[in-house]
Amino acid sequence: MSAFSRLWYRAPLWRLCLYLIVPFVALTFVFPPAYLTRRLPRMAQIATAIHHRLGMQDTPADADQAGGGNPGDGVVTMMPMTDRLTKAIPFAGRILPLPAGVWHPIINVIEGPHGEVLENVLVRVQGHIVTGLIVASGTTQPVSAAANPAMDMECHDDRNYMSHISASHPPVTECWLTRLVDPASISHMNVIASRLKEEGIVLPPVLLRANWINTTPAADDSLNAETVTIYLNPVNANETKILRSPDFWTKEALAQQPAANDFVKRMNTWMAGWAPVLHDGFNSDMLASSEEQRARLSLDPAAPRPGEANPLD
């Protein structure tokens, strides 16, 4: 056995670090930040070649797709929706834990004048109906702290079913919340709806939103941030399938709708347990919980039931 081989087998921690680093390095070549492609034009060519080989399509992000801002601020990459993602994925140099079930990528977006923000959109499907949608947005380098007030407003909104602001990780600002959402207001919905329609997949008339927001101060009045928004389908079960109008799911109407109220309570309980897992992923510290714990905590109330078909499989 060579000296290198002996070092490899005697250094399991080093090997573990290598296993964790390699996916992020690969992701950088697939989705390089704009500031890197400007400094290293060859990297943009490599990324384009990889996208073509994987069947992905790159298009400039318009103002609507990018959630506002100037046209050309970002690039939308259409992802192969047949890809199957489970448990967790690398995201913005960190780890994004995934709720239960199989998730399929729809689009990735690189935004900002220097490519500071990466956004991933994933979908979970059962019987040609969306059971869950994830829109995750994370900084790949510090951004202006001016973005923080909008996050604070979300956490204190009276329309939330429930919200929780964590004081256990100062100076980090962390909160999670749940509420009803208008599907038309979801970021990039024009692109999402078009991709789902192509696959014969139906968006439900009602979606509930669970948000997790985390910001960490950086130098020069800037911050690192991540927002994970999980949209759940509450009308895909016998108990709630007749409650197909958002009017049944407003905060004020829940007292008159026991089935809707029960679903919201279960969503609140689930998000309270899932938020710490998202926190660990933000810090790339998945060893803080066991795989068994994460599997149990990942079971949101809209998770597909075992044995039911997924049209993208």
Side-chain angles (χ1 to χ4, degrees):
M1 181 181 292
S2 68
F4 177 81
S5 298
R6 288 195 297 272
L7 177 62
W8 173 266
Y9 285 105
R10 291 175 183 175
L13 183 59
W14 181 59
R15 278 186 288 157
L16 177 61
C17 292
L18 186 61
Y19 290 150
L20 293 174
I21 290 170
V22 168
F24 296 119
V25 173
L27 195 64
T28 300
F29 278 94
V30 179
F31 304 110
Y35 74 93
L36 274 182
T37 59
R38 280 194 293 271
R39 294 177 182 176
L40 303 170
R42 179 61 179 159
M43 181 169 280
Q45 297 171 13
I46 294 172
T48 300
I50 293 172
H51 293 181
H52 289 165
R53 179 62 65 88
L54 296 177
M56 299 186 293
Q57 177 184 351
D58 292 350
T59 59
D62 59 26
D64 180 57
Q65 291 171 338
N70 300 317
D73 274 357
V75 173
V76 175
T77 301
M78 307 297 179
M79 302 297 293
M81 290 181 61
T82 51
D83 286 357
R84 296 166 52 89
L85 307 174
T86 61
K87 297 183 180 179
I89 60 172
F91 175 65
R94 309 176 190 102
I95 298 173
L96 176 63
L98 300 177
V102 176
W103 294 84
H104 305 274
I106 302 178
I107 58 173
N108 286 353
V109 185
I110 298 175
E111 299 181 90
H114 304 292
E116 302 95 337
V117 181
L118 176 66
E119 190 162 309
N120 282 6
V121 180
L122 314 173
V123 68
R124 185 180 63 189
V125 180
Q126 180 182 27
H128 291 276
I129 297 174
V130 170
T131 63
L133 192 70
I134 294 176
V135 179
S137 178
T139 57
T140 57
Q141 57 180 306
V143 298
S144 170
N148 205 31
M151 298 178 186
D152 289 342
M153 289 171 57
E154 281 271 274
C155 298
H156 292 92
D157 197 310
D158 290 340
R159 293 170 295 179
N160 296 340
Y161 296 134
M162 182 175 288
S163 59
H164 175 81
I165 300 174
S166 175
S168 59
H169 306 290
V172 173
T173 298
E174 180 176 4
C175 81
W176 61 264
L177 60 97
T178 60
R179 64 183 290 181
L180 175 67
V181 66
D182 176 5
S185 70
I186 297 174
S187 180
H188 317 299
M189 180 47 75
N190 55 338
V191 182
I192 294 169
S194 176
R195 296 293 309 283
L196 295 177
K197 185 177 180 180
E198 290 172 3
E199 299 288 343
I201 297 169
V202 179
L203 277 164
V206 179
L207 285 172
L208 305 186
R209 174 161 67 109
N211 263 53
W212 178 82
I213 301 167
N214 186 298
T215 64
T216 304
D220 302 324
D221 197 31
S222 61
L223 53 83
N224 294 300
E226 184 172 297
T227 299
V228 181
T229 307
I230 305 165
Y231 301 94
L232 299 180
N233 176 353
V235 293
N236 204 35
N238 289 333
E239 298 83 2
T240 55
K241 64 183 179 181
I242 62 172
L243 305 178
R244 300 181 63 80
S245 167
D247 293 340
F248 293 120
W249 297 87
T250 63
K251 186 177 180 181
E252 296 73 23
L254 289 181
Q256 287 74 47
Q257 301 295 338
N261 191 47
D262 178 67
F263 187 96
V264 169
K265 285 182 177 179
R266 287 187 287 125
M267 181 175 68
N268 290 342
T269 299
W270 171 72
M271 192 57 184
W274 190 239
V277 179
L278 292 171
H279 176 90
D280 294 342
F282 180 83
N283 291 287
S284 300
D285 184 20
M286 300 310 293
L287 296 179
S289 57
S290 68
E291 187 170 348
E292 181 182 355
Q293 286 174 312
R294 293 192 297 275
R296 174 174 50 82
L297 293 170
S298 73
L299 288 169
D300 64 83
R305 292 168 290 282
E308 299 200 13
N310 180 337
L312 293 172
D313 287 349

